[in-house]
Amino acid sequence: MLKLDILALAAHPDDVELSCAGTLAKAVIDGKKAGIVDFTKGELGTRGTPELRMQESAASAEILGLSARENLGFRDGFFVNDEAHQLEVVKMIRKYQPDIVLANAVDDRHPDHGKASQLSRQACFLSGLVNVKTELDGLNQAPWRPRAIYNYIQSIPHEPDFIVDVTSTWETRMKSIFAFKSQFHDPNSGEPETYISSPQFMKMVESRGIHYGHEIGVTYGEGFTVDRKLGIQTVFDLI
Ligand SMILES: [Zn+2]
């Protein structure tokens, strides 16, 4: 069995890359095991194809040094937060037993993001209940509750509750974004321009990282929100 230290859940392939891939890459460099479970294949995306997006996801996973990346094949745009979907996510949480879960923004431009955030949070809770029964590959799964869930920030600039210094992995994060070649700016592409394919969009991503970095006195940062008070062992942990 592969146990992960940190697991990012995402509505669409590329949500993690656009929000918190620097944090995952940094965890990997620190010797942690990291993974991503994408809920949909982003089949409603204007550019590229779901097949291409799966190849791009795998390429990005390699760049980030992930130990696992899976796709649940939920319906892009139309998946719902019901028992069936919650149990599919519970199976992944129990399979990988992460200490920390990163989830979509609590509220965002794309309605799937807030929906996925709620679904992730409920699945993390249900996963810890012994009477919620799940099976994977014919075997009963043991309950598992992650220690913490942090929501990353994507389109809407939420006020972060904490910011991770990702200066050392910013370049890796940008490479992981550009692994999604069909989605982002490519002057040679004949596909229609979208919200995320304009050159302006990449400038926004860069400036968001600089802005969060600036707030904690480093070059690049990634912000997260959390629904409870944060505790620390020692003030020396803070930068
Ligand atoms: Zn998305």
Side-chain angles (χ1 to χ4, degrees):
M1 195 206 75
L2 169 68
K3 184 199 174 312
L4 296 178
D5 298 293
I6 183 163
L7 172 65
L9 302 174
H12 311 113
D14 81 7
D15 285 348
V16 167
E17 284 79 359
L18 290 171
S19 308
C20 60
T23 300
L24 283 188
K26 196 168 178 184
V28 171
I29 287 170
D30 288 343
K32 307 280 191 204
K33 285 200 161 30
I36 299 177
V37 170
D38 298 305
F39 292 172
T40 76
K41 293 182 179 163
E43 63 270 22
L44 295 185
T46 307
R47 290 158 69 112
T49 62
E51 295 70 35
L52 187 55
R53 201 126 45 237
M54 288 306 93
Q55 291 169 19
E56 293 171 343
S57 298
S60 166
E62 190 127 324
I63 291 165
L64 296 172
L66 302 184
S67 302
R69 184 167 204 168
E70 296 204 33
N71 193 293
L72 294 179
F74 293 171
R75 279 185 73 202
D76 189 10
F78 297 100
F79 71 86
V80 290
N81 178 11
D82 65 2
E83 180 179 346
H85 289 80
Q86 287 162 7
L87 289 177
E88 289 307 306
V89 180
V90 166
K91 284 183 197 173
M92 292 295 109
I93 294 165
R94 289 176 171 178
K95 177 179 180 182
Y96 290 117
Q97 305 189 338
D99 298 307
I100 293 175
V101 165
L102 304 180
N104 276 105
V106 287
D107 173 41
D108 216 359
R109 174 179 175 272
H110 197 309
D112 277 358
H113 295 171
K115 203 164 47 176
S117 159
Q118 287 297 322
L119 172 53
S120 301
R121 187 165 293 279
Q122 281 174 257
C124 284
F125 184 82
L126 292 170
S127 174
L129 301 179
V130 71
N131 284 324
V132 172
K133 308 286 186 196
T134 53
E135 267 187 19
L136 193 72
D137 303 328
L139 296 171
N140 291 330
Q141 291 186 294
W144 182 265
R145 172 127 350 116
R147 244 176 41 215
I149 307 169
Y150 303 125
N151 291 96
Y152 44 87
I153 297 171
Q154 197 163 331
S155 297
I156 293 178
H158 292 283
E159 189 64 31
D161 293 312
F162 68 89
I163 294 168
V164 179
D165 173 7
V166 293
T167 307
S168 62
T169 52
W170 186 260
E171 215 181 298
T172 305
R173 168 173 159 175
M174 292 312 287
K175 276 189 199 150
S176 80
I177 292 176
F178 284 113
F180 289 84
K181 284 191 205 74
S182 65
Q183 298 304 296
F184 299 108
H185 184 60
D186 173 3
N188 301 316
S189 170
E191 294 209 80
E193 188 95 327
T194 65
Y195 169 70
I196 59 172
S197 75
S198 71
Q200 206 57 23
F201 180 80
M202 277 305 149
K203 285 187 189 162
M204 187 281 286
V205 170
E206 176 89 11
S207 60
R208 185 70 65 78
I210 293 171
H211 172 76
Y212 288 145
H214 180 74
E215 291 211 287
I216 57 167
V218 303
T219 308
Y220 290 106
E222 286 176 345
F224 295 85
T225 63
V226 56
D227 72 340
R228 61 174 171 82
K229 291 281 178 255
L230 293 168
I232 55 171
Q233 292 295 342
T234 155
V235 286
F236 293 97
D237 285 344
L238 296 172
I239 59 172

